[in-house]
Amino acid sequence: MDFRPTEEQAAAVGLAARIFSDLATPERLAAAGTGSDAELWKALTAAGLITAVEETGLLGLVLLLEEQGRTTAQVPYAATCAYGILPLAAHGTAEQRARLLPALGTGEAVATGAFPARGRITAGGGRLTGTAPVVPWLRDATHVLVPDADRGLWLVRTDAPGVRTSPVETTAPWSAGRLELSGAEAEPLGADGAYEDTLAAARTAFAGLQAGVCAGSLARAVAHTSTREQFGRPLSTHQAVMLRAADAHMDTEAIRVTTYEAAWRIDQGLPAREHALTAAWWASEAGKRVVHAGQHLHGGTGADLDHPVHRHFLWGRQLDAYLGCGSELLAELGTSLAEGGPA
């Protein structure tokens, strides 16, 4: 395994870090409320950071999403790449790629996904019926990648007849919505295995986002405890504070390394279902611990709902829920291993 970024990946990450740090400031995030930042999204597309994912691969996307997570930037980056760019590049027809990838890259189109499959949506005659209660960034999306009850994949336009969307507020400001389909027209994407591939890549991508959220939360806690004094010395010199921060650091690194491994394996075409589940489990369980620690280490300041660290807390808890919560992921991982799935 080689997790060192290529020159292209490093350049993309450096550019993304500058854009996120310049535009995803606490003041701008507060002004955005629960919606997405259209100006930031425009800056990312203009810089070519959406189309770059086709070249940088899933590991490159994970590195880019870490930068988004550090600032909790409110843009549909993870959703568009995980449910649009990557599955289209891997499983789309030549016509689908030619029609949709350029539009996604320029921001003219935005993708999201009604994942994972819960058996709520059925397909028949190229039409879908059913409901997905919560779809992230649905309010921004022009296309939704929808798995049916048999785990076939379908692309649905949000403005198509038979499609109804309504806003849903989640723990984190993800511009989420409820998707209701009543005989909605849809086009198939991929064949056997496309759902499993997409789910593994999406879990890995959102785990990378969680790694960034945790790193951002911990960085804020370190800065706070290094400057805030108690009994005449910085909080960071107290053993209890150091141990809590050290545990959070180790948890963050565990999320990062398991996510890198899953992404690298997927990029190399190796079996990675269990690796993606492992990364998602760490992101769910450890991520929850880290954002709680970040808020705790701020003391009373961390209880302020308007403080930037609270935003990391909300994102960490939302990602924990979105990834499936640790116990659910662990059960799925155990079942897969018991069935003798690929290592």
Side-chain angles (χ1 to χ4, degrees), residues 97-130:
R97 293 195 300 271
R99 171 166 46 91
L100 294 170
L101 286 176
L104 290 169
T106 61
E108 179 185 350
V110 174
T112 188
F115 273 67
R118 300 291 188 186
R120 299 188 180 101
I121 296 174
T122 58
R127 295 180 179 273
L128 301 181
T129 298

Side-chain angles (χ1 to χ4, degrees), residues 194-211:
Y195 169 81
E196 287 75 14
D197 291 348
T198 301
L199 179 60
R203 280 172 165 163
T204 304
F206 280 92
L209 185 61
Q210 181 75 304

Side-chain angles (χ1 to χ4, degrees), residues 238-245 297:
H238 293 272
Q239 187 178 46
V241 173
M242 288 190 285
L243 291 174
R244 190 82 197 271
L297 289 172

Side-chain angles (χ1 to χ4, degrees), residues 248-273:
H249 171 73
M250 293 305 297
D251 272 337
T252 302
E253 289 303 300
I255 299 169
R256 181 177 285 122
V257 72
T258 53
T259 302
Y260 286 4
E261 181 182 11
W264 179 85
R265 290 183 67 89
I266 290 172
D267 284 341
Q268 297 298 314
L270 298 171
R273 180 188 175 194

Side-chain angles (χ1 to χ4, degrees), residues 36-334:
S36 295
D37 188 330
E39 184 180 343
L40 174 55
W41 185 240
K42 184 177 179 180
L44 292 171
T45 57
L49 288 173
I50 312 302
T51 55
V53 174
E54 295 181 65
E55 303 298 327
T56 63
L58 183 56
L59 181 55
L61 174 59
V62 164
L63 296 171
L64 291 165
L65 290 175
E66 280 192 70
E67 298 305 321
Q68 179 186 0
R70 290 179 201 277
T71 58
T72 61
Q74 290 171 204
V75 286
Y77 199 9
T80 287
C81 293
Y83 300 126
I85 297 288
L86 292 180
L88 279 166
H91 301 288
T93 64
E95 187 278 331
Q96 286 174 325
R97 293 195 300 271
R99 171 166 46 91
L100 294 170
L101 286 176
L104 290 169
T106 61
E108 179 185 350
V110 174
T112 188
F115 273 67
R118 300 291 188 186
R120 299 188 180 101
I121 296 174
T122 58
R127 295 180 179 273
L128 301 181
T129 298
T131 301
V134 182
V135 179
W137 287 285
L138 180 62
R139 283 178 265 168
D140 298 333
T142 58
H143 295 76
V144 187
L145 188 62
V146 180
D148 63 27
D150 297 319
R151 298 193 172 185
L153 289 186
W154 303 84
L155 272 173
V156 179
R157 287 191 60 92
T158 55
D159 61 358
V163 177
R164 182 172 180 269
T165 65
S166 53
V168 172
E169 296 302 335
T170 53
T171 302
W174 282 11
S175 294
R178 176 184 176 89
L179 178 69
E180 297 178 67
L181 304 172
S182 302
E185 291 186 6
E187 58 178 308
L189 179 69
D192 292 342
Y195 169 81
E196 287 75 14
D197 291 348
T198 301
L199 179 60
R203 280 172 165 163
T204 304
F206 280 92
L209 185 61
Q210 181 75 304
V213 169
C214 291
S217 175
L218 183 58
R220 290 190 180 280
V222 169
H224 175 79
T225 57
S226 297
T227 56
R228 186 68 175 261
E229 291 190 355
Q230 186 181 63
F231 305 120
R233 58 192 178 114
L235 285 171
S236 59
T237 62
H238 293 272
Q239 187 178 46
V241 173
M242 288 190 285
L243 291 174
R244 190 82 197 271
D247 284 343
H249 171 73
M250 293 305 297
D251 272 337
T252 302
E253 289 303 300
I255 299 169
R256 181 177 285 122
V257 72
T258 53
T259 302
Y260 286 4
E261 181 182 11
W264 179 85
R265 290 183 67 89
I266 290 172
D267 284 341
Q268 297 298 314
L270 298 171
R273 180 188 175 194
E274 283 79 15
H275 299 80
L277 278 165
T278 300
W281 181 83
W282 272 103
S284 175
E285 287 289 293
K288 184 166 47 183
R289 291 195 296 266
V290 173
V291 296
H292 275 264
Q295 189 155 325
H296 183 200
L297 289 172
H298 278 76
T301 305
D304 183 355
L305 301 185
D306 294 324
H307 194 282
V309 77
H310 187 68
R311 190 176 299 273
H312 289 273
F313 173 78
L314 295 178
W315 276 67
R317 291 311 307 254
Q318 182 65 44
L319 282 161
D320 165 41
Y322 183 68
L323 286 165
C325 298
S327 57
E328 182 179 348
L329 292 164
L330 195 61
E332 185 178 344
L333 176 60

